[in-house]
């Protein structure tokens, strides 16, 4: 697989990261960001204005599920984008081929090529912030999973997805904010964070065991901003995971992981991403 790191800035693909709140654009050595437009047509116009002409290819990280042809299938935070042919619209307007993938898959790509998961070809990436995102890599195949909606026994909290008992209701910042009446950044109760670490450890362990992963990187605001979470998490994982050894690491690229992964998308073989 040829990955176009180390070539001149002009020959590199442009990278876009379209999240529910922010959109980031990187071309050459410059990165800019602007608030994501909830209106699809206005967002398209903003993207076209932000990408300088001449990019040989464009990689797009998107905060939702897309079809193999690059049409938006499900976007819980950008409902107006659903059913719109994002890849085709960008390609027509910018005159370059466009590859698009879910932001968890792009974050995983970034961590695998330039971050915490270098050297692991059977690995996964979990992000814990407002929601819980997950993607895994098995050799040359990359895919987003629904590990945030794995069901936890004894958990009777309803989830945004319509199920009852999802991991996201115990570890997602949005669900916990609504239940606690304040953002997680304002929660400093030691018992709460120990229980949080236990839930997270169970979710990470099930995620790793279900696909036989050797390493998992944890990204997103919650694990990366709370160093005190890690000793409890590592303790719980050591107690739970007695069968298969899994290396669990903090993600290294922070909020730029999806953008870094998006830049790599045009270099991947066409069937490398399962959408
Ligand atoms: Zn759910």
């Amino acid at each position: 697989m040829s990955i176009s790191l180390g070539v001149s800035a002009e020959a590199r693909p442009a990278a876009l990261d379209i999240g529910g709140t922010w959109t980031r654009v990187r071309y050459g050595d410059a990165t800019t960001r602007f608030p994501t437009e909830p209106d699809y047509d206005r967002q398209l116009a903003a993207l076209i204005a932000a990408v300088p002409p001449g990019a040989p290819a464009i990689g797009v990280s998107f905060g939702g599920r897309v079809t193999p042809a690059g049409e938006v299938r499900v976007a819980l935070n950008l409902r107006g984008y659903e059913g719109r042919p994002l890849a085709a619209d960008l390609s027509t307007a910018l005159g370059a081929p466009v590859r698009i993938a879910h932001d968890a898959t792009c974050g995983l790509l970034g961590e695998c090529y330039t971050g915490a998961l270098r050297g692991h070809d059977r690995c996964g990436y979990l992000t814990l912030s407002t929601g819980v995102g997950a993607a895994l890599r098995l050799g040359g195949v990359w895919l987003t999973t629904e590990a945030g909606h794995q069901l936890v026994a004894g958990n009777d909290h309803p989830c945004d997805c319509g199920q009852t008992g999802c991991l996201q209701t115990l570890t997602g910042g949005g669900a916990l904010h609504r239940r606690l009446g304040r953002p997680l950044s304002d929660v400093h109760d030691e018992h709460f964070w120990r229980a949080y670490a236990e839930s997270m450890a169970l979710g990470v362990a099930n995620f790793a065991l279900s696909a036989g992963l050797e390493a998992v990187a944890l990204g997103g605001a919650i694990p990366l901003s709370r160093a005190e979470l890690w000793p409890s998490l590592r303790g719980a994982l050591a107690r739970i995971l007695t069968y298969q050894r899994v290396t669990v690491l903090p993600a290294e690229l922070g909020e730029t992981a999806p953008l870094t992964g998006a830049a790599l998308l045009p270099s991947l073989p066409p069937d490398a991403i399962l959408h």
Side-chain angles (χ1 to χ4, degrees):
M1 185 187 307
S2 74
I3 296 294
S4 55
L5 295 172
V7 294
S8 72
E10 298 69 37
R12 270 186 246 153
L16 312 180
D17 173 20
I18 305 169
T21 307
W22 290 102
T23 292
R24 293 180 173 81
V25 177
R26 185 186 290 165
Y27 186 43
D29 295 320
T31 301
T32 56
R33 75 169 194 175
F34 55 86
T36 299
E37 281 279 356
D39 179 83
Y40 178 85
D41 293 307
R42 280 208 296 271
Q43 173 75 3
L44 198 60
L47 289 170
I48 292 164
V51 179
I58 296 149
V60 182
S61 165
F62 181 69
R65 306 295 293 238
V66 295
T67 67
E71 184 179 303
V72 177
R73 193 150 54 93
V74 183
L76 293 180
N77 296 314
L78 295 166
R79 300 275 14 186
Y81 290 37
E82 290 176 347
R84 304 298 297 267
L86 181 57
D89 284 344
L90 284 172
S91 183
T92 301
L94 297 169
V98 173
R99 293 281 300 273
I100 177 166
H102 191 277
D103 58 4
T105 294
C106 291
L108 173 64
L109 269 167
E111 290 294 336
C112 277
Y113 280 97
T114 63
L117 293 169
R118 271 168 295 188
H120 293 287
D121 65 359
R122 196 174 180 109
C123 59
Y125 173 71
L126 264 180
T127 65
L128 297 104
S129 51
T130 306
V132 178
L136 57 85
R137 172 196 192 179
L138 300 174
V141 176
W142 309 73
L143 66 151
T144 292
T145 83
E146 298 297 347
H149 302 279
Q150 60 180 282
L151 300 169
V152 179
N155 173 17
D156 58 5
H157 297 297
C159 181
D160 291 341
C161 73
Q163 295 185 157
T164 297
C166 294
L167 177 70
Q168 182 162 297
T169 67
L170 303 175
T171 56
L176 288 165
H177 183 162
R178 285 195 296 277
R179 206 152 67 244
L180 298 171
R182 59 196 200 279
L184 283 189
S185 51
D186 290 350
V187 178
H188 304 292
D189 174 18
E190 215 177 286
H191 298 290
F192 170 86
W193 286 108
R194 261 209 298 278
Y196 184 98
E198 289 287 333
S199 298
M200 194 168 154
L202 203 61
V204 170
N206 285 334
F207 176 53
L209 290 166
S210 64
L213 304 180
E214 65 194 28
V216 175
L218 302 179
I222 299 172
L224 297 182
S225 68
R226 292 214 166 246
E228 75 272 23
L229 196 56
W230 283 83
S232 310
L233 177 67
R234 290 198 187 287
L237 284 167
R239 201 182 67 247
I240 295 168
L241 282 172
T242 57
Y243 172 52
Q244 182 195 306
R245 196 181 159 79
V246 182
T247 303
V248 178
L249 304 156
E252 287 179 6
L253 303 182
E255 64 186 10
T256 65
L259 198 56
T260 302
L264 299 167
L265 282 176
S267 310
L268 292 180
D271 55 356
I273 308 275
L274 289 185
H275 291 282

